Amino acid sequence: MSSRRSRSSRQTGASMISEDQINDLVLQLHRLLPELGNNNRRSGKVSASKVLQETCTYIRNLNKEVDDLSERLSQLLESTDSAQAALIRSLLM
Amino acid sequence: MASLISDTEPPSHPHPSSTDLLRRKKRLSASSSASVTTGDDGDSHHARWRSEKQQRNYSAKLIQALQQVRLGSSSSSSAAATPSPKRGKAVREAADRALAVSARGRTLWSRAILANRIKLKFRKQKQPRPAAAIPAVITTTGSISSSGGGGRRSWKKRRVTVVKLNKKSIPTVNRKVRVLGRLVPGCRKESVPVILEEATDYIQALEMQVRAMKSLAELLSGSNSAPTRPI
């Protein structure tokens, strides 16, 4: 984890950001994305703007999923009683 | 750290379905940790959010946070007017807080989430930080209506390799990075590499959050449908 910090060294004058750094980061981001439509285009070139676009979409989707799940969890929590909740807690440890 | 909080009450109810669910959850986290080893370049922070240890850690915190939400809401007013939207948001906030705590304060977004919660508690306005000096200053005029509109405009251009960003695409990339910065909490006015780095971590953390909450929901709904046994 310290290697990550030293690689993208935080410089005060922000004009010193190299493009290589940005490209590295974008590539890293691209690896994380779900590769739904990327299998065809994996020719070693990825468009930066496309990666960013998909990243935004993906984050929005994840947020929405978390919201839905938390909604569902809140309803489920209301209906379970405390004994079951304690049981689940013991299961998850 | 092995966050196996020693439980005072041993699971004295060896219900068959519950052990199945437990096995399924273990398989879920095991598969997720196995999947990262295949595509891992040795980036330690990629594996950080996918290790089983981290998942157990987060699940424990989540459970505790949710317990508090339940206790808080039930003690305050059981006959609340519209409990479900409030409870849903409370659950989301508790989950986010647990996630931010699991990040151990190493990332901007986790600190921003925790700071936001505390500030909201005390009803303070968040002070806007002075924007860092950025070379290619992106004048955010009214052209940034929505990222969808901006995206279509740039897709018509020829696809640019990441290896060389030519002059034409720098404003586009910067614009998108700004949008991304608004999505990740606490990165609204950071520089480009910071936003990208925070985004990678944030995505992984969100994925873990989704996995944990999904398995928790499955557990809860499974135990709900199971016949209640005598306690």
Short mmCIF file of all heavy atoms in Angstrom, two decimals, chain A residues 1 4-5 8 14 17 23 25 28-29 32 45-47 53 58 60 63 65-67 70-71 77-80 84 87-88 90-93, chain B residues 7 22 25 43-45 48 56 70 84 87-88 91-92 106 133 147 159-163 176 193 197 200 207 210 214 217 220 223-224 229:
data_model
loop_
_atom_site.label_atom_id
_atom_site.label_comp_id
_atom_site.label_asym_id
_atom_site.label_seq_id
_atom_site.Cartn_x
_atom_site.Cartn_y
_atom_site.Cartn_z
N MET A 1 0.84 -1.19 0.00
CA MET A 1 0.00 0.00 0.00
C MET A 1 0.87 1.24 0.00
O MET A 1 0.51 2.27 -0.54
CB MET A 1 -0.90 0.00 1.23
CG MET A 1 -2.14 -0.77 1.01
SD MET A 1 -3.06 -0.92 2.52
CE MET A 1 -2.40 -2.42 3.17
N ARG A 4 1.83 2.31 -3.51
CA ARG A 4 0.86 3.08 -4.27
C ARG A 4 1.07 4.56 -4.02
O ARG A 4 1.00 5.37 -4.91
CB ARG A 4 -0.54 2.65 -3.85
CG ARG A 4 -1.61 3.55 -4.38
CD ARG A 4 -2.91 2.94 -4.10
NE ARG A 4 -3.14 2.89 -2.67
CZ ARG A 4 -4.20 3.42 -2.08
NH1 ARG A 4 -5.09 4.01 -2.78
NH2 ARG A 4 -4.35 3.33 -0.81
N ARG A 5 1.32 4.90 -2.77
CA ARG A 5 1.46 6.32 -2.47
C ARG A 5 2.70 6.88 -3.13
O ARG A 5 2.72 8.01 -3.60
CB ARG A 5 1.58 6.51 -0.95
CG ARG A 5 0.31 6.26 -0.24
CD ARG A 5 -0.61 7.43 -0.39
NE ARG A 5 -1.87 7.17 0.24
CZ ARG A 5 -3.02 7.62 -0.23
NH1 ARG A 5 -3.04 8.32 -1.29
NH2 ARG A 5 -4.13 7.36 0.39
N SER A 8 2.20 7.42 -7.10
CA SER A 8 1.48 8.63 -7.48
C SER A 8 1.83 9.70 -6.47
O SER A 8 1.05 10.02 -5.59
CB SER A 8 -0.01 8.35 -7.50
OG SER A 8 -0.44 7.95 -6.21
N ALA A 14 0.49 21.40 -8.88
CA ALA A 14 -0.25 20.36 -9.57
C ALA A 14 0.08 20.32 -11.05
O ALA A 14 -0.36 19.43 -11.75
CB ALA A 14 -1.75 20.60 -9.38
N ILE A 17 1.87 16.99 -12.83
CA ILE A 17 1.28 15.66 -13.02
C ILE A 17 1.64 15.18 -14.40
O ILE A 17 1.36 15.82 -15.39
CB ILE A 17 -0.25 15.75 -12.89
CG1 ILE A 17 -0.61 16.31 -11.51
CG2 ILE A 17 -0.86 14.40 -13.07
CD1 ILE A 17 -2.04 16.67 -11.43
N ASN A 23 -2.38 8.07 -17.20
CA ASN A 23 -2.70 6.88 -17.98
C ASN A 23 -2.68 5.63 -17.15
O ASN A 23 -3.53 4.75 -17.30
CB ASN A 23 -1.69 6.74 -19.12
CG ASN A 23 -1.80 7.87 -20.09
OD1 ASN A 23 -2.84 8.51 -20.17
ND2 ASN A 23 -0.75 8.15 -20.81
N LEU A 25 -3.31 5.41 -14.01
CA LEU A 25 -4.50 5.37 -13.16
C LEU A 25 -5.74 5.00 -13.96
O LEU A 25 -6.58 4.25 -13.50
CB LEU A 25 -4.69 6.73 -12.48
CG LEU A 25 -3.65 7.04 -11.41
CD1 LEU A 25 -3.77 8.47 -10.96
CD2 LEU A 25 -3.85 6.12 -10.24
N GLN A 28 -5.76 1.36 -14.56
CA GLN A 28 -6.15 0.65 -13.34
C GLN A 28 -7.65 0.68 -13.16
O GLN A 28 -8.28 -0.32 -12.80
CB GLN A 28 -5.51 1.37 -12.17
CG GLN A 28 -4.80 0.49 -11.22
CD GLN A 28 -4.14 1.33 -10.16
OE1 GLN A 28 -4.50 2.46 -9.93
NE2 GLN A 28 -3.18 0.75 -9.51
N LEU A 29 -8.20 1.85 -13.41
CA LEU A 29 -9.65 2.00 -13.29
C LEU A 29 -10.34 1.10 -14.28
O LEU A 29 -11.35 0.47 -13.97
CB LEU A 29 -9.98 3.46 -13.58
CG LEU A 29 -11.24 4.05 -13.05
CD1 LEU A 29 -11.39 3.72 -11.61
CD2 LEU A 29 -11.18 5.53 -13.23
N LEU A 32 -10.86 -2.42 -13.26
CA LEU A 32 -11.87 -2.69 -12.26
C LEU A 32 -13.25 -2.80 -12.86
O LEU A 32 -14.12 -3.42 -12.27
CB LEU A 32 -11.91 -1.53 -11.26
CG LEU A 32 -10.83 -1.47 -10.23
CD1 LEU A 32 -11.10 -0.27 -9.36
CD2 LEU A 32 -10.86 -2.70 -9.39
N LYS A 45 -5.74 -0.81 -26.53
CA LYS A 45 -6.03 0.62 -26.49
C LYS A 45 -7.37 0.80 -25.82
O LYS A 45 -8.34 0.15 -26.18
CB LYS A 45 -6.15 1.19 -27.90
CG LYS A 45 -4.97 0.98 -28.76
CD LYS A 45 -5.27 1.59 -30.13
CE LYS A 45 -4.08 1.40 -31.02
NZ LYS A 45 -4.30 2.11 -32.29
N VAL A 46 -7.38 1.69 -24.90
CA VAL A 46 -8.66 2.05 -24.31
C VAL A 46 -8.79 3.55 -24.35
O VAL A 46 -7.81 4.27 -24.16
CB VAL A 46 -8.79 1.55 -22.86
CG1 VAL A 46 -9.13 0.11 -22.81
CG2 VAL A 46 -7.52 1.81 -22.10
N SER A 47 -9.97 3.97 -24.60
CA SER A 47 -10.21 5.41 -24.65
C SER A 47 -10.41 5.92 -23.24
O SER A 47 -11.21 5.39 -22.48
CB SER A 47 -11.44 5.66 -25.50
OG SER A 47 -11.99 6.91 -25.16
N GLN A 53 -16.32 7.51 -18.53
CA GLN A 53 -17.77 7.46 -18.64
C GLN A 53 -18.32 6.20 -17.99
O GLN A 53 -19.28 6.23 -17.22
CB GLN A 53 -18.13 7.48 -20.12
CG GLN A 53 -19.58 7.44 -20.41
CD GLN A 53 -20.20 8.80 -20.22
OE1 GLN A 53 -19.50 9.80 -20.29
NE2 GLN A 53 -21.47 8.84 -19.96
N TYR A 58 -20.84 3.11 -13.63
CA TYR A 58 -20.70 2.00 -12.71
C TYR A 58 -20.88 2.45 -11.26
O TYR A 58 -21.54 1.78 -10.47
CB TYR A 58 -19.34 1.36 -12.91
CG TYR A 58 -19.16 0.06 -12.19
CD1 TYR A 58 -20.14 -0.92 -12.23
CD2 TYR A 58 -18.01 -0.18 -11.48
CE1 TYR A 58 -19.97 -2.11 -11.58
CE2 TYR A 58 -17.83 -1.37 -10.83
CZ TYR A 58 -18.81 -2.33 -10.88
OH TYR A 58 -18.63 -3.50 -10.22
N ARG A 60 -22.55 4.99 -10.25
CA ARG A 60 -23.98 5.29 -10.03
C ARG A 60 -24.78 4.01 -9.81
O ARG A 60 -25.66 3.94 -8.95
CB ARG A 60 -24.53 6.07 -11.22
CG ARG A 60 -24.03 7.47 -11.25
CD ARG A 60 -24.96 8.35 -12.04
NE ARG A 60 -24.30 9.61 -12.29
CZ ARG A 60 -23.74 9.94 -13.43
NH1 ARG A 60 -23.78 9.12 -14.45
NH2 ARG A 60 -23.14 11.09 -13.56
N ASN A 63 -24.10 2.65 -6.38
CA ASN A 63 -24.80 3.43 -5.37
C ASN A 63 -26.27 3.07 -5.32
O ASN A 63 -26.86 2.91 -4.24
CB ASN A 63 -24.66 4.92 -5.68
CG ASN A 63 -23.42 5.51 -5.04
OD1 ASN A 63 -22.97 5.03 -4.01
ND2 ASN A 63 -22.88 6.53 -5.66
N GLU A 65 -27.55 0.31 -6.23
CA GLU A 65 -27.70 -1.04 -5.69
C GLU A 65 -27.62 -1.02 -4.17
O GLU A 65 -28.40 -1.70 -3.49
CB GLU A 65 -26.59 -1.92 -6.26
CG GLU A 65 -27.06 -3.30 -6.60
CD GLU A 65 -25.97 -4.09 -7.28
OE1 GLU A 65 -25.32 -3.55 -8.19
OE2 GLU A 65 -25.80 -5.25 -6.89
N VAL A 66 -26.69 -0.22 -3.66
CA VAL A 66 -26.58 -0.13 -2.21
C VAL A 66 -27.84 0.46 -1.61
O VAL A 66 -28.31 0.01 -0.56
CB VAL A 66 -25.34 0.70 -1.82
CG1 VAL A 66 -25.35 1.02 -0.35
CG2 VAL A 66 -24.09 -0.05 -2.16
N ASP A 67 -28.40 1.45 -2.28
CA ASP A 67 -29.63 2.04 -1.77
C ASP A 67 -30.75 1.02 -1.74
O ASP A 67 -31.48 0.90 -0.73
CB ASP A 67 -30.05 3.22 -2.65
CG ASP A 67 -29.28 4.46 -2.30
OD1 ASP A 67 -28.82 4.55 -1.15
OD2 ASP A 67 -29.11 5.34 -3.17
N SER A 70 -30.12 -1.43 1.01
CA SER A 70 -30.35 -0.90 2.35
C SER A 70 -31.84 -0.75 2.61
O SER A 70 -32.29 -0.97 3.74
CB SER A 70 -29.63 0.42 2.53
OG SER A 70 -30.14 1.38 1.66
N GLU A 71 -32.59 -0.44 1.57
CA GLU A 71 -34.03 -0.39 1.73
C GLU A 71 -34.56 -1.75 2.13
O GLU A 71 -35.35 -1.93 3.07
CB GLU A 71 -34.63 0.07 0.40
CG GLU A 71 -36.07 0.41 0.45
CD GLU A 71 -36.30 1.66 1.25
OE1 GLU A 71 -35.54 2.62 1.08
OE2 GLU A 71 -37.23 1.65 2.06
N LEU A 77 -35.06 -5.91 8.64
CA LEU A 77 -34.71 -5.75 10.04
C LEU A 77 -35.93 -5.47 10.89
O LEU A 77 -35.97 -5.82 12.06
CB LEU A 77 -33.71 -4.61 10.19
CG LEU A 77 -32.28 -4.98 9.89
CD1 LEU A 77 -31.42 -3.75 9.98
CD2 LEU A 77 -31.79 -6.02 10.84
N GLU A 78 -36.89 -4.79 10.28
CA GLU A 78 -38.09 -4.50 11.06
C GLU A 78 -38.85 -5.76 11.40
O GLU A 78 -39.50 -5.84 12.42
CB GLU A 78 -39.00 -3.57 10.28
CG GLU A 78 -38.55 -2.15 10.28
CD GLU A 78 -39.40 -1.33 9.33
OE1 GLU A 78 -40.61 -1.59 9.28
OE2 GLU A 78 -38.85 -0.47 8.66
N SER A 79 -38.77 -6.74 10.51
CA SER A 79 -39.61 -7.91 10.72
C SER A 79 -38.93 -8.98 11.55
O SER A 79 -39.59 -9.81 12.13
CB SER A 79 -40.04 -8.49 9.37
OG SER A 79 -38.91 -8.64 8.55
N THR A 80 -37.60 -8.95 11.62
CA THR A 80 -36.98 -9.97 12.45
C THR A 80 -36.96 -9.52 13.90
O THR A 80 -36.92 -8.33 14.19
CB THR A 80 -35.52 -10.23 12.03
OG1 THR A 80 -34.83 -8.98 12.07
CG2 THR A 80 -35.46 -10.80 10.65
N GLN A 84 -33.26 -13.54 16.54
CA GLN A 84 -32.73 -13.95 15.24
C GLN A 84 -31.55 -13.09 14.83
O GLN A 84 -30.59 -13.57 14.23
CB GLN A 84 -33.83 -13.88 14.17
CG GLN A 84 -34.72 -15.07 14.21
CD GLN A 84 -35.82 -14.94 13.19
OE1 GLN A 84 -36.21 -13.84 12.85
NE2 GLN A 84 -36.30 -16.06 12.71
N LEU A 87 -28.58 -14.33 16.46
CA LEU A 87 -28.13 -15.56 15.82
C LEU A 87 -27.34 -15.26 14.57
O LEU A 87 -26.28 -15.83 14.30
CB LEU A 87 -29.35 -16.42 15.49
CG LEU A 87 -29.06 -17.62 14.57
CD1 LEU A 87 -28.18 -18.60 15.31
CD2 LEU A 87 -30.34 -18.26 14.13
N ILE A 88 -27.84 -14.31 13.80
CA ILE A 88 -27.16 -13.97 12.56
C ILE A 88 -25.80 -13.37 12.85
O ILE A 88 -24.81 -13.63 12.18
CB ILE A 88 -28.04 -13.01 11.75
CG1 ILE A 88 -29.20 -13.80 11.18
CG2 ILE A 88 -27.25 -12.39 10.61
CD1 ILE A 88 -30.36 -12.96 10.89
N SER A 90 -23.96 -14.05 15.31
CA SER A 90 -23.02 -15.10 15.67
C SER A 90 -22.61 -15.91 14.45
O SER A 90 -21.50 -16.42 14.38
CB SER A 90 -23.66 -16.02 16.71
OG SER A 90 -24.74 -16.72 16.12
N LEU A 91 -23.49 -15.99 13.47
CA LEU A 91 -23.14 -16.73 12.27
C LEU A 91 -22.08 -16.02 11.46
O LEU A 91 -21.24 -16.65 10.84
CB LEU A 91 -24.38 -16.90 11.39
CG LEU A 91 -25.36 -17.97 11.81
CD1 LEU A 91 -26.52 -17.99 10.84
CD2 LEU A 91 -24.68 -19.31 11.82
N LEU A 92 -22.15 -14.69 11.49
CA LEU A 92 -21.26 -13.96 10.60
C LEU A 92 -19.89 -13.74 11.20
O LEU A 92 -19.01 -13.24 10.53
CB LEU A 92 -21.87 -12.60 10.26
CG LEU A 92 -22.97 -12.69 9.24
CD1 LEU A 92 -23.59 -11.33 9.04
CD2 LEU A 92 -22.43 -13.19 7.93
N MET A 93 -19.68 -14.10 12.41
CA MET A 93 -18.36 -13.88 13.00
C MET A 93 -17.40 -14.99 12.60
O MET A 93 -17.77 -16.14 12.74
CB MET A 93 -18.45 -13.86 14.52
CG MET A 93 -19.28 -12.71 14.99
SD MET A 93 -18.55 -11.17 14.54
CE MET A 93 -19.98 -10.17 14.47
N ASP B 7 -17.93 -14.15 20.46
CA ASP B 7 -19.33 -14.04 20.79
C ASP B 7 -19.61 -14.70 22.12
O ASP B 7 -19.12 -15.78 22.41
CB ASP B 7 -20.14 -14.72 19.68
CG ASP B 7 -21.51 -14.12 19.60
OD1 ASP B 7 -21.58 -12.91 19.47
OD2 ASP B 7 -22.48 -14.88 19.71
N LEU B 22 -24.56 -20.04 6.02
CA LEU B 22 -23.22 -19.66 6.44
C LEU B 22 -22.20 -20.17 5.44
O LEU B 22 -21.26 -19.49 5.06
CB LEU B 22 -22.93 -20.22 7.84
CG LEU B 22 -21.51 -20.00 8.32
CD1 LEU B 22 -21.26 -18.51 8.42
CD2 LEU B 22 -21.33 -20.64 9.66
N LYS B 25 -22.26 -18.01 2.46
CA LYS B 25 -21.60 -16.72 2.62
C LYS B 25 -20.10 -16.91 2.58
O LYS B 25 -19.37 -16.13 2.02
CB LYS B 25 -22.01 -16.10 3.95
CG LYS B 25 -21.21 -14.87 4.24
CD LYS B 25 -21.88 -13.99 5.22
CE LYS B 25 -21.00 -12.86 5.59
NZ LYS B 25 -20.59 -12.05 4.50
N ASP B 43 -0.84 -5.55 -6.99
CA ASP B 43 -1.29 -4.33 -6.33
C ASP B 43 -1.92 -4.70 -5.02
O ASP B 43 -2.98 -5.31 -4.99
CB ASP B 43 -2.32 -3.63 -7.22
CG ASP B 43 -1.65 -2.65 -8.16
OD1 ASP B 43 -0.45 -2.42 -7.99
OD2 ASP B 43 -2.32 -2.18 -9.05
N SER B 44 -1.27 -4.32 -3.98
CA SER B 44 -1.80 -4.76 -2.69
C SER B 44 -3.13 -4.13 -2.40
O SER B 44 -3.98 -4.71 -1.75
CB SER B 44 -0.80 -4.43 -1.59
OG SER B 44 -0.54 -3.03 -1.62
N HIS B 45 -3.35 -2.93 -2.88
CA HIS B 45 -4.62 -2.30 -2.51
C HIS B 45 -5.78 -2.85 -3.32
O HIS B 45 -6.92 -2.65 -2.97
CB HIS B 45 -4.54 -0.79 -2.62
CG HIS B 45 -4.43 -0.30 -4.03
ND1 HIS B 45 -5.49 0.21 -4.72
CD2 HIS B 45 -3.39 -0.23 -4.87
CE1 HIS B 45 -5.10 0.57 -5.91
NE2 HIS B 45 -3.84 0.33 -6.04
N ARG B 48 -7.00 -5.51 -1.13
CA ARG B 48 -7.38 -5.06 0.20
C ARG B 48 -8.87 -5.20 0.42
O ARG B 48 -9.32 -5.63 1.46
CB ARG B 48 -6.97 -3.61 0.36
CG ARG B 48 -7.02 -3.10 1.74
CD ARG B 48 -6.09 -1.94 1.87
NE ARG B 48 -6.59 -0.82 1.12
CZ ARG B 48 -7.17 0.23 1.67
NH1 ARG B 48 -7.32 0.28 2.95
NH2 ARG B 48 -7.59 1.21 0.94
N ARG B 56 -15.10 -9.97 6.60
CA ARG B 56 -15.63 -10.28 7.92
C ARG B 56 -15.60 -9.07 8.80
O ARG B 56 -16.51 -8.81 9.58
CB ARG B 56 -14.78 -11.38 8.53
CG ARG B 56 -14.94 -12.68 7.81
CD ARG B 56 -13.97 -13.67 8.35
NE ARG B 56 -14.58 -14.48 9.36
CZ ARG B 56 -15.28 -15.57 9.10
NH1 ARG B 56 -15.44 -15.95 7.87
NH2 ARG B 56 -15.82 -16.26 10.06
N ARG B 70 -31.50 -0.22 14.57
CA ARG B 70 -32.76 -0.83 14.99
C ARG B 70 -33.16 -0.38 16.37
O ARG B 70 -34.30 -0.04 16.63
CB ARG B 70 -32.61 -2.34 14.96
CG ARG B 70 -32.92 -2.91 13.62
CD ARG B 70 -32.93 -4.41 13.68
NE ARG B 70 -34.06 -4.91 14.43
CZ ARG B 70 -33.95 -5.71 15.49
NH1 ARG B 70 -32.79 -6.10 15.89
NH2 ARG B 70 -35.02 -6.14 16.11
N SER B 84 -40.23 3.95 6.69
CA SER B 84 -39.41 3.23 5.71
C SER B 84 -38.39 4.11 4.97
O SER B 84 -37.25 3.71 4.87
CB SER B 84 -40.27 2.47 4.72
OG SER B 84 -41.40 3.21 4.38
N ARG B 87 -35.76 4.89 7.57
CA ARG B 87 -34.96 3.74 7.97
C ARG B 87 -34.05 3.32 6.85
O ARG B 87 -32.91 2.93 7.07
CB ARG B 87 -35.88 2.59 8.34
CG ARG B 87 -36.66 2.88 9.57
CD ARG B 87 -36.31 1.94 10.71
NE ARG B 87 -37.16 2.26 11.83
CZ ARG B 87 -38.34 1.68 11.99
NH1 ARG B 87 -38.74 0.75 11.16
NH2 ARG B 87 -39.09 2.05 13.00
N GLY B 88 -34.56 3.40 5.62
CA GLY B 88 -33.70 3.01 4.51
C GLY B 88 -32.46 3.89 4.45
O GLY B 88 -31.34 3.41 4.31
N VAL B 91 -30.15 3.08 7.29
CA VAL B 91 -29.37 1.88 7.02
C VAL B 91 -28.23 2.20 6.07
O VAL B 91 -27.09 1.77 6.26
CB VAL B 91 -30.28 0.78 6.46
CG1 VAL B 91 -29.47 -0.37 5.94
CG2 VAL B 91 -31.23 0.30 7.51
N ARG B 92 -28.53 2.97 5.05
CA ARG B 92 -27.48 3.31 4.08
C ARG B 92 -26.36 4.08 4.75
O ARG B 92 -25.18 3.85 4.53
CB ARG B 92 -28.10 4.16 2.96
CG ARG B 92 -27.11 4.80 2.05
CD ARG B 92 -26.71 3.89 0.97
NE ARG B 92 -25.38 4.17 0.48
CZ ARG B 92 -25.12 4.72 -0.68
NH1 ARG B 92 -26.09 5.07 -1.47
NH2 ARG B 92 -23.90 4.93 -1.04
N ARG B 106 -7.49 5.86 5.40
CA ARG B 106 -6.42 6.09 4.46
C ARG B 106 -6.89 6.77 3.19
O ARG B 106 -6.09 7.18 2.38
CB ARG B 106 -5.80 4.76 4.05
CG ARG B 106 -4.92 4.24 5.10
CD ARG B 106 -4.28 2.99 4.61
NE ARG B 106 -3.79 2.28 5.75
CZ ARG B 106 -2.56 1.85 5.84
NH1 ARG B 106 -1.75 2.06 4.85
NH2 ARG B 106 -2.15 1.24 6.90
N ALA B 133 -4.63 24.53 -7.39
CA ALA B 133 -4.28 25.13 -8.69
C ALA B 133 -4.09 24.02 -9.70
O ALA B 133 -3.26 23.15 -9.54
CB ALA B 133 -3.01 25.95 -8.54
N SER B 147 -23.46 14.34 -17.74
CA SER B 147 -22.32 13.60 -18.28
C SER B 147 -22.75 12.81 -19.50
O SER B 147 -21.96 12.50 -20.36
CB SER B 147 -21.76 12.66 -17.22
OG SER B 147 -22.75 11.71 -16.89
N ARG B 159 -11.35 7.27 -31.49
CA ARG B 159 -10.96 6.75 -30.18
C ARG B 159 -9.50 7.04 -29.93
O ARG B 159 -8.65 6.80 -30.79
CB ARG B 159 -11.19 5.26 -30.15
CG ARG B 159 -11.19 4.76 -28.74
CD ARG B 159 -11.84 3.42 -28.60
NE ARG B 159 -12.02 2.70 -29.77
CZ ARG B 159 -11.48 1.48 -30.00
NH1 ARG B 159 -10.71 0.95 -29.11
NH2 ARG B 159 -11.74 0.84 -31.12
N VAL B 160 -9.19 7.56 -28.79
CA VAL B 160 -7.81 7.94 -28.49
C VAL B 160 -7.23 6.92 -27.56
O VAL B 160 -7.86 6.51 -26.62
CB VAL B 160 -7.83 9.34 -27.82
CG1 VAL B 160 -6.46 9.70 -27.36
CG2 VAL B 160 -8.38 10.35 -28.77
N THR B 161 -6.03 6.53 -27.83
CA THR B 161 -5.39 5.59 -26.93
C THR B 161 -5.03 6.32 -25.65
O THR B 161 -4.78 7.51 -25.63
CB THR B 161 -4.11 5.04 -27.55
OG1 THR B 161 -3.17 6.13 -27.61
CG2 THR B 161 -4.37 4.53 -28.93
N VAL B 162 -4.98 5.53 -24.61
CA VAL B 162 -4.63 6.15 -23.34
C VAL B 162 -3.16 6.53 -23.35
O VAL B 162 -2.72 7.40 -22.63
CB VAL B 162 -4.94 5.18 -22.21
CG1 VAL B 162 -4.57 5.76 -20.87
CG2 VAL B 162 -6.41 4.84 -22.22
N VAL B 163 -2.40 5.90 -24.20
CA VAL B 163 -0.96 6.11 -24.16
C VAL B 163 -0.61 7.55 -24.47
O VAL B 163 0.25 8.13 -23.86
CB VAL B 163 -0.27 5.15 -25.14
CG1 VAL B 163 1.22 5.35 -25.09
CG2 VAL B 163 -0.62 3.73 -24.78
N LYS B 176 -14.63 14.85 -17.66
CA LYS B 176 -15.18 13.63 -17.11
C LYS B 176 -14.62 13.35 -15.73
O LYS B 176 -15.30 12.82 -14.86
CB LYS B 176 -14.83 12.46 -18.02
CG LYS B 176 -15.34 12.72 -19.36
CD LYS B 176 -16.01 11.53 -19.91
CE LYS B 176 -16.71 12.02 -21.13
NZ LYS B 176 -17.37 11.19 -21.87
N PRO B 193 -5.19 13.09 -10.64
CA PRO B 193 -4.76 11.76 -10.19
C PRO B 193 -5.36 11.37 -8.85
O PRO B 193 -5.62 10.19 -8.61
CB PRO B 193 -3.23 11.90 -10.09
CG PRO B 193 -2.97 13.33 -10.01
CD PRO B 193 -4.04 14.01 -10.76
N GLU B 197 -7.43 7.96 -8.28
CA GLU B 197 -7.03 7.00 -7.26
C GLU B 197 -8.15 6.72 -6.28
O GLU B 197 -8.45 5.57 -5.94
CB GLU B 197 -5.82 7.58 -6.53
CG GLU B 197 -5.03 6.57 -5.78
CD GLU B 197 -3.81 7.22 -5.18
OE1 GLU B 197 -3.16 7.99 -5.89
OE2 GLU B 197 -3.54 6.95 -4.01
N THR B 200 -10.78 4.43 -7.77
CA THR B 200 -10.51 2.99 -7.79
C THR B 200 -10.80 2.39 -6.43
O THR B 200 -11.43 1.33 -6.32
CB THR B 200 -9.05 2.73 -8.16
OG1 THR B 200 -8.21 3.49 -7.30
CG2 THR B 200 -8.76 3.11 -9.58
N GLU B 207 -18.14 -2.26 -4.06
CA GLU B 207 -18.42 -3.65 -4.44
C GLU B 207 -18.49 -4.54 -3.22
O GLU B 207 -19.35 -5.42 -3.11
CB GLU B 207 -17.34 -4.13 -5.40
CG GLU B 207 -17.50 -3.60 -6.81
CD GLU B 207 -16.37 -4.03 -7.70
OE1 GLU B 207 -15.41 -4.63 -7.19
OE2 GLU B 207 -16.44 -3.75 -8.88
N VAL B 210 -21.71 -3.97 -1.44
CA VAL B 210 -22.84 -4.62 -2.10
C VAL B 210 -22.85 -6.11 -1.79
O VAL B 210 -23.89 -6.69 -1.47
CB VAL B 210 -22.77 -4.38 -3.62
CG1 VAL B 210 -23.65 -5.34 -4.36
CG2 VAL B 210 -23.19 -2.97 -3.94
N LYS B 214 -25.76 -7.84 0.34
CA LYS B 214 -26.58 -8.82 -0.35
C LYS B 214 -26.63 -10.12 0.43
O LYS B 214 -27.70 -10.73 0.61
CB LYS B 214 -25.97 -9.07 -1.74
CG LYS B 214 -26.97 -9.47 -2.76
CD LYS B 214 -26.33 -9.70 -4.09
CE LYS B 214 -26.13 -8.41 -4.84
NZ LYS B 214 -25.75 -8.62 -6.23
N ALA B 217 -28.76 -9.68 3.45
CA ALA B 217 -30.18 -9.70 3.14
C ALA B 217 -30.67 -11.11 2.88
O ALA B 217 -31.77 -11.50 3.28
CB ALA B 217 -30.46 -8.80 1.95
N LEU B 220 -31.02 -12.82 6.19
CA LEU B 220 -32.19 -12.39 6.95
C LEU B 220 -33.47 -12.92 6.34
O LEU B 220 -34.37 -13.36 7.04
CB LEU B 220 -32.23 -10.87 7.00
CG LEU B 220 -31.36 -10.25 8.08
CD1 LEU B 220 -31.44 -8.75 8.01
CD2 LEU B 220 -31.82 -10.72 9.44
N SER B 223 -33.75 -16.60 7.05
CA SER B 223 -34.15 -16.97 8.39
C SER B 223 -35.59 -16.57 8.65
O SER B 223 -36.25 -17.13 9.50
CB SER B 223 -33.23 -16.31 9.41
OG SER B 223 -33.50 -14.92 9.45
N ASN B 224 -36.05 -15.57 7.90
CA ASN B 224 -37.45 -15.19 8.08
C ASN B 224 -38.38 -16.26 7.57
O ASN B 224 -39.41 -16.55 8.15
CB ASN B 224 -37.73 -13.88 7.34
CG ASN B 224 -37.59 -12.71 8.27
OD1 ASN B 224 -37.51 -12.90 9.48
ND2 ASN B 224 -37.55 -11.53 7.71
N ARG B 229 -38.09 -21.62 15.47
CA ARG B 229 -37.91 -22.76 16.38
C ARG B 229 -38.09 -22.25 17.80
O ARG B 229 -37.94 -21.05 18.06
CB ARG B 229 -36.50 -23.30 16.19
CG ARG B 229 -35.48 -22.27 16.59
CD ARG B 229 -34.31 -22.25 15.63
NE ARG B 229 -33.54 -21.06 15.92
CZ ARG B 229 -33.89 -19.86 15.50
NH1 ARG B 229 -34.95 -19.69 14.79
NH2 ARG B 229 -33.15 -18.84 15.79
#
